[in-house]
């Protein structure tokens, strides 16, 4: 396809503003799918994506569109993941495009992820076409949203398309705007092949599928290609595009987006951001900005039933086939037995993996508290440790310094909830950097330790603002802090899966909260159970679960033997859901519930 007939664009939006619905409409309008096929949203592939309404893996669809000028254009629509956890994938998809449709909900207006995504898009020099969606809603205020786009984002919205993806309003105008406003790609067909690896995923039939954007040269079937970062070479055995059904092609030229397969077995060999070139005639330099994504949030995953350990190992390995950004290694815990320490890009990523294991692989899991990665320098030139697991914290005497990752968070919230949100940030050791107001809403910028955000910050933010606050963040590096390991002792014994790293200043409040919640979560036993929070040897908080009377059968007035046995059986079954720890039974929910901060 000649360059001037190609348009590459993505759709950027805050979650739920209608990105997937609009994408499907564009596909339908250009004839990619019949109305029946449309009944399912096509761009969101996985079940969980559909249920959660978020897009995890970027997908691209090629559309054929005959514009008002009578010329048929090839439009490549990239679906980008909307969530911060997948920021790097978003950035790569944006780098593959020349423009973006900025979708803003006519009833909700601009939100935190709208801003985060649009700024990224501007950084990639995109032409941005504003689309005000959901104008069919009674609460729609398109004119106010138009002003908001101009005031808050600072782009011209006078020609914003008013649309309803749901009822099909404005779709033709959007397609026309893509052709007339978004520039055609540039590229040199005669230069050595240079293509960007935008995404990769594992397909059971095709093996690893790689989504590419060709910058220069041509990518052909049968070509020997080289991955410039990975240093590996592969033979291209398929070239094609999605319409959205797979269509095989002979080649992809400059400016084109499509997929290849090259008999690659593992997605880890095809990392997003790598540069593909011709093995025999390589490009002089790789594309800039390649970044290996590193997990930032870690937690332990343990089977509730110890016999499920092998099943868990197999399931985790399978998931990893399709997600190179998630890491795991075996872990043993005195309280929880054998399991895995897993690394994720963020909390949502963690939840998605956990949910898939539970649902698709039918596993009952115990998840330990999420932890960030601490950088520890040891005394006496003892070296450096990347600490992923609070249980592995070295003795305090051996620690010279501990640093923790910090983020810069942008929070967007209606004025009426601002007070409680600012307090939340302060309680979490936040440092306010900026606070501005736009039309009844405030935008607050805070620096926060990631550690204070990973657990329940997002949930708190949503509940304190009745769902109206939106939040986005990026990492800003590590900072030293007065951090200590807080152990939880149940019946005088430390429970490693409950230990956590906390700031000394907030340790006591945290410790007290933990003990109080555990007191409610652990059932009474025949004896008194002290629950303590301690730093080093020093107890900083304590609660006691008082003893229960004799066992339940005592109620049966001795006589009936079968009834007694039944009760004991019942009691036994109840125990299966517990974790025996020393002589104390801790219910599985306690491990995660205890960590929710008030
Ligand atoms: P993520 O994938 O989570 O980023 O969400 P999204 O932006 O793709 O939103 P999606 O297309 O899933 O739409 C979110 C909700 O808004 C769905 O319930 C849609 O049916 C609804 N929706 C989308 N467009 C419109 C519209 O034009 N009008 C109305 N009334 N509802 C819409």
């Amino acid at each position: 396809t000649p360059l001037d007939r190609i348009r590459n664009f993505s759709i950027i939006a805050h979650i739920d503003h209608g990105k997937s619905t609009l994408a499907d409409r564009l596909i339908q309008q250009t004839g990619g799918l019949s109305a029946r096929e449309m009944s399912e949203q096509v761009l969101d592939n996985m079940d969980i994506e559909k249920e959660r309404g978020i897009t995890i893996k970027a997908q691209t669809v090629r559309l054929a569109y005959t514009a008002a000028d009578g010329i048929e254009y090839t439009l490549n629509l990239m679906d980008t993941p909307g969530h911060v956890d997948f920021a790097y994938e978003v950035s790569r998809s944006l780098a593959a495009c020349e423009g973006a449709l900025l979708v803003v909900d006519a009833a909700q207006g601009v939100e935190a992820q709208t801003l985060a995504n649009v700024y990224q898009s501007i950084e990639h020099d995109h032409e941005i076409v504003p689309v005000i969606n959901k104008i069919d809603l009674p609460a729609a205020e398109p004119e106010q949203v138009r002003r908001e786009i101009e005031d808050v984002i600072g782009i011209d919205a006078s020609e914003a398309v008013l649309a309803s993806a749901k009822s099909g309003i404005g779709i033709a105008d959007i397609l026309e705007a893509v052709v007339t406003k978004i520039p055609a790609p540039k590229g040199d067909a005669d230069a050595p092949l240079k293509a960007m690896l935008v995404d990769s995923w594992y397909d059971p039939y095709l093996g690893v599928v790689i989504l590419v954007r060709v910058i220069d040269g041509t990518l052909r079937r049968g070509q020997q290609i080289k991955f410039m970062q990975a240093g590996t070479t592969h033979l291209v055995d398929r070239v094609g595009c999605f319409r959205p059904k797979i269509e095989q092609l002979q080649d992809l030229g400059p400016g084109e987006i499509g997929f290849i397969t090259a008999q690659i077995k593992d997605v880890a060999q095809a990392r997003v951001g790598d540069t593909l070139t011709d093995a025999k005639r390589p490009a002089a330099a790789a594309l800039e900005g390649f970044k290996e994504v590193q997990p930032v949030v870690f937690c332990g995953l343990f089977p509730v039933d110890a016999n499920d350990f092998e099943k868990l190992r197999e399931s985790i390995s399978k998931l990893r086939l399709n997600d190179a950004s998630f890491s795991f290694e075996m872990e043993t815990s005195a309280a929880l037995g054998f399991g895995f320490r897993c690394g994720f890009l963020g909390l949502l990523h963690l939840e998605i993996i956990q949910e898939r294991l539970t649902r698709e692989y039918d596993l009952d899991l115990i998840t330990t508290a999420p932890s960030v990665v601490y950088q520890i320098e040891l005394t006496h030139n003892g070296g450096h440790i990347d600490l992923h697991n609070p249980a592995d914290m070295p003795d305090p005497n051996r620690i010279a310094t501990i640093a923790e990752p910090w983020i810069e968070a942008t929070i967007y919230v209606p004025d009426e909830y601002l007070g409680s949100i600012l307090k939340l940030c302060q309680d979490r050791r936040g440092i306010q950097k900026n606070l501005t107001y736009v039309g009844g809403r405030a935008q607050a910028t805070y620096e926060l330790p990631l550690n204070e955000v990973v657990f329940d910050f997002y949930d708190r933010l949503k509940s304190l603002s009745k769902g109206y606050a939106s939040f986005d963040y990026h990492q800003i590096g590590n900072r030293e802090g007065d951090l200590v390991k807080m152990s939880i002792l149940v019946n005088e014994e430390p429970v490693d899966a409950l230990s956590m790293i906390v700031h000394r200043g907030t340790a006591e409040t945290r410790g007290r909260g933990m003990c109080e919640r555990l007191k409610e979560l652990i059932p009474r036993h025949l004896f008194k159970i002290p629950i303590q929070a301690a730093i080093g040897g020093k107890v900083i908080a304590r609660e006691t679960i008082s003893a229960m009377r004799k066992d339940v059968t005592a109620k049966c007035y001795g006589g009936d033997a079968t009834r007694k046995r039944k009760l004991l059986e019942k009691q036994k079954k109840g125990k299966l859901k517990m974790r025996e720890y020393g002589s104390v039974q801790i219910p599985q929910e306690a491990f995660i519930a205890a960590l929710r901060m008030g």
Side-chain angles (χ1 to χ4, degrees), residues 222-406:
Q223 190 174 20
Q224 194 77 35
I225 54 160
K226 180 171 184 180
F227 288 5
M228 296 181 85
Q229 297 289 346
T232 53
T233 56
H234 304 273
L235 184 71
V236 176
D237 58 7
R238 273 189 208 88
V239 174
C241 65
F242 302 100
R243 279 186 178 281
K245 290 174 192 154
I246 281 188
E247 181 174 309
Q248 300 225 22
L249 303 166
Q250 286 305 316
D251 55 47
L252 291 169
E256 291 196 292
I257 298 174
F259 76 88
I260 61 162
T261 62
Q263 292 178 0
I264 297 168
K265 299 276 177 303
D266 185 354
V267 279
Q269 289 179 282
R271 299 301 291 256
V272 171
D274 206 339
T275 306
L276 278 62
T277 191
D278 189 300
K280 298 196 193 78
R281 189 183 165 227
L287 296 161
E288 273 175 37
F290 175 79
K291 180 170 94 180
E292 189 125 354
V293 282
Q294 298 290 348
V296 292
V297 176
F298 286 78
C299 77
L301 292 179
F302 294 85
V304 169
D305 180 349
N307 295 321
D308 278 345
F309 175 73
E310 275 310 317
K311 190 174 164 197
L312 176 61
R313 182 206 296 278
E314 270 170 38
S315 313
I316 285 186
S317 309
K318 272 193 204 143
L319 280 185
R320 156 85 197 183
L321 269 181
N322 222 338
D323 187 350
S325 54
F326 142 68
S327 72
F328 67 100
E329 59 182 51
M330 216 180 108
E331 178 182 11
T332 49
S333 149
L336 304 172
F338 291 103
F340 294 93
R341 191 86 196 154
C342 303
F344 308 90
L345 297 179
L347 270 191
L348 179 74
H349 191 208
L350 182 162
E351 272 178 52
I352 287 167
I353 298 278
Q354 189 188 319
E355 201 167 309
R356 293 188 64 183
L357 286 170
T358 311
R359 197 188 330 198
E360 290 171 33
Y361 297 95
D362 196 25
L363 283 159
D364 275 338
L365 296 175
I366 295 176
T367 312
T368 64
S371 164
V372 300
V373 183
Y374 296 93
Q375 310 291 327
I376 300 185
E377 299 300 333
L378 297 174
T379 50
H380 310 300
N381 299 323
H384 173 94
I385 301 177
D386 285 348
L387 184 77
H388 296 174
N389 188 348
D392 298 335
M393 177 105 153
D395 189 89
N397 305 325
R398 290 178 55 216
I399 299 175
T401 60
I402 307 185
E404 61 183 329
W406 279 65

Side-chain angles (χ1 to χ4, degrees), residues 13-22 41 44 52-55 133-137 163-167:
H14 188 78
I15 283 178
D16 271 353
H17 283 198
K19 188 175 69 183
S20 306
T21 312
L22 176 61
Q41 282 200 350
D44 287 351
R52 287 175 168 263
I54 53 149
T55 311
N133 189 35
K134 306 199 189 182
I135 56 159
D136 60 297
L137 288 177
S164 165
K166 196 168 169 183
S167 10

